[in-house]
Amino acid sequence: MTIVELAKRCGESIATVQHIIVNVGEKIDSEFDPLSIDIAELVAMEIGVNVCRLHSDDGAHVLGRSPVVTVMGHVDHGKTSLLDALRQTSLAAKEAGGITQHLGAFVVGMQSGASITFLDTPGHAAFSAMRARGAAVTDIVVLVVAADDGVMPQTLEAMSHAKAGNVPIVVAINKCDKPDANPERVKVQLAAEGLLLEEMGGDVQVVEVSAINEVGLDKLEDALLLQAELMDLKARVDGPAQAYVVEARLDKGRGPLATAIVKAGTLVCGQHVVVGAEWGRIRSIRDMARKVIAEARPAMPIEIEGLKGLPMAGDDIVVVESEERARMLSEGRKKKFEKDRLTKLEEERPKASEEEEEEDETKPERVEVPLIVKADVQGTVQAVTDAVKNLNSSQVFLKVIHAGVGPVSQSDIDMAQACGACIVGFNVRDPPSSIALAATQAKVKIKLHRVIYHLLEDIGNFIVEKAPGTLETQVAGEAQVLNIFELKGRSKSKGDDVKIAGCRVIDGRVTKSSTLRLLRSGEVVFEGSCASLKREKQDVEAVGKGNDCGLVIKDCFDFQVGDVIQCLVQVNRKPKFVSSESGAVRIEC
Ligand code: GDP
């Protein structure tokens, strides 16, 4: 792209674009010279335009590649067990004599020479977080459904995720070893949800497995390869790599490590890369068996070392020509991300204009609840943070003041204490007793969970507790006027004339401290406070259903027999935590 074209696309003048280019230290000869993609991105970011790198395979050497598979399904249906079982059959496990480690991805090799790459983070959070960041890494989704439990909310959620991402599904009916397993019922349920199963004339393959007994795994792998064959997956092999981070962690000795999957091209050791907003020079590439390799090709999961900071799951990896470029691009991206983050924060804040405030004075103030999020890997940190934000409502604003990888630490407790925050940990180790004690002493709440739904439910209930609620008028009781008594000519000391309504409470309770409303033929004719409530000449605080009483409403002299008197009370209605069939959650105010 030339400067002229870039200026046109960004809606800026050529002079502005030229000015930015000079500012970043690039030389310009002519506005018709082509710009490198890195400089074009920098300029666009500086102007405030969002950039997405598109990669073209035109004219490149393309070859078939392995499929990349994600396992999804309802909680407890056996996603982790299935991944564990499959990992045992992986190349890394074979090489390491069965000892494997969770690194975010693994490869299973077939006798035919074909292979399948599995993303080793089960669940929807990781899948959607990656997709939300433009990292469409998954080719096929394995939908795990327990044969003894059938289709559940998160099964449907997984189906919608796959559909939204246009990713085909292979169904694994798990726990077929169980005596109450009923795979046929699962198939009927799936078909009823619109999944076109192969045996019913559709194209979605179904495999019956038992993750625990390692039965049917080979059939599942065959089904995945068949699906991949139908998709005719290909990738460019030559040229600079385009890759995505699937997981990142900090190693004490080696620094930031990222597990990545190459989407196209070849990643070579020694190259300078920009990863999301971080950068680095690739010091080493290892395959999933931890063997050092010189380069990585498409669909290959690798671990890269040499980054300056910890990237996030879903970050793109682009190769740039020099360290200076990498530094510049990373700085540019950081600046843009921070700007976007602040804009988003501003948008999320309650926009209470003066008019709105005047209009509804009864509306409670929005309470800010500070949170610290800790999770096992960067991808989940992001996913949990995003999921938690969905619980924001007009009454409670969850403010994530810090989010990070690793177990809850003393510094988290210190920060939580300083800000009055609550700490949520997802998939992290229980803190040692010293930290737990420190938290108790500092009165800091720590909520640890391993199931995202449970975490959201817990925070949802916490929000409900913190929410100020809205004051609502409710009818606590109703009385009917049966007689009217007048007290006339009372002395000054005893006050003016009064009219007493002789009533019977027909519903609920009538209390003295409440407001009373007089209704005639359903119409409100008077509303005022209760001046006196008596039962058999005794002053009382409340009268229950079925009892007679004498009642005086302050300044009301207009009772008629047959009128209804309602007793009104103010109740504080708290918001509600609601979860839908699909597993989606929200706070209803
Ligand atoms: P996830 O929440 O989907 O990751 O489910 P897990 O893999 O943690 O499994 C949930 C429970 O089901 C665990 O107690 C497993 O031992 C059990 N489980 C998983 N797969 C099977 C299976 O094939 N057969 C039987 N009988 N139990 C299984």
Side-chain angles (χ1 to χ4, degrees), residues 73-82 122 144 174-178 209-213:
H74 195 72
V75 62
D76 274 350
H77 279 197
K79 299 178 293 290
T80 313
S81 310
L82 186 63
V144 179
N174 189 29
K175 308 198 186 181
C176 284
D177 57 288
K178 283 196 143 184
V209 300
S210 162
I212 293 288
N213 296 345

Side-chain angles (χ1 to χ4, degrees), residues 268-469:
V268 184
C269 191
Q271 280 176 331
H272 286 99
V273 285
V274 176
V275 183
E278 304 295 338
W279 72 279
R281 180 175 171 271
I282 299 183
R283 200 157 51 220
S284 80
I285 304 180
R286 285 170 202 262
D287 66 11
M288 290 295 104
R290 319 310 285 281
K291 209 168 68 203
V292 175
I293 51 175
E295 54 177 48
R297 296 192 153 207
M300 200 168 165
I302 45 165
E303 189 178 73
I304 55 175
E305 186 180 326
L307 300 180
K308 304 286 172 202
L310 200 62
M312 291 198 278
D315 274 347
D316 61 334
I317 303 181
V318 293
V319 177
V320 292
E321 65 192 32
S322 65
E323 177 173 329
E324 197 200 347
R325 260 298 151 74
R327 232 186 245 277
M328 220 157 68
L329 209 50
S330 141
E331 263 168 36
R333 284 185 177 188
K334 274 197 179 121
K335 225 164 73 187
K336 172 87 170 58
F337 290 171
E338 184 55 20
K339 214 161 110 191
D340 289 351
R341 193 181 69 85
L342 292 177
T343 316
K344 210 169 148 215
L345 259 184
E346 206 48 51
E347 280 169 5
E348 279 174 0
R349 276 191 180 282
K351 279 186 221 105
S353 66
E354 276 175 23
E355 265 174 44
E356 271 176 295
E357 273 174 13
E358 269 174 29
E359 236 176 51
D360 197 354
E361 282 175 359
T362 55
K363 234 181 184 173
E365 293 225 338
R366 210 183 192 196
V367 176
E368 211 172 69
V369 174
L371 275 189
I372 293 178
V373 174
K374 297 299 296 265
D376 53 344
V377 289
Q378 194 63 46
T380 25
V381 172
Q382 191 64 34
V384 170
T385 311
D386 290 348
V388 158
K389 281 186 187 159
N390 282 337
L391 289 175
N392 273 335
S393 65
S394 58
Q395 289 194 22
V396 175
F397 177 70
L398 288 171
K399 187 176 175 192
V400 178
I401 52 167
H402 171 66
V405 175
V408 177
S409 66
Q410 183 60 45
S411 77
D412 295 328
I413 308 270
D414 295 343
M415 192 193 288
Q417 188 181 18
C419 308
C422 162
I423 304 178
V424 274
F426 184 71
N427 250 346
V428 292
R429 265 189 283 121
D430 285 348
S433 53
S434 59
I435 300 279
L437 185 69
T440 316
Q441 281 168 350
K443 294 199 172 59
V444 168
K445 274 200 183 124
I446 303 181
K447 296 170 180 294
L448 298 179
H449 289 278
R450 294 195 180 272
V451 174
I452 188 83
Y453 179 79
H454 293 165
L455 181 140
L456 293 176
E457 193 179 22
D458 193 3
I459 298 184
N461 291 329
F462 183 61
I463 290 175
V464 170
E465 198 181 294
K466 293 272 174 194

Side-chain angles (χ1 to χ4, degrees), residues 1-5 21 27-36:
M1 192 181 278
T2 62
I3 295 178
V4 176
E5 258 183 284
I21 297 176
K27 229 173 54 245
I28 309 173
D29 291 327
S30 151
E31 59 213 54
F32 297 103
D33 282 349
L35 285 170
S36 84

Side-chain angles (χ1 to χ4, degrees), residues 190-213:
L190 288 171
E193 292 300 336
L195 209 59
L196 303 168
L197 307 185
E198 208 175 31
E199 49 196 83
M200 299 180 186
D203 54 6
V204 176
Q205 301 179 75
V206 182
V207 188
E208 294 175 20
V209 300
S210 162
I212 293 288
N213 296 345

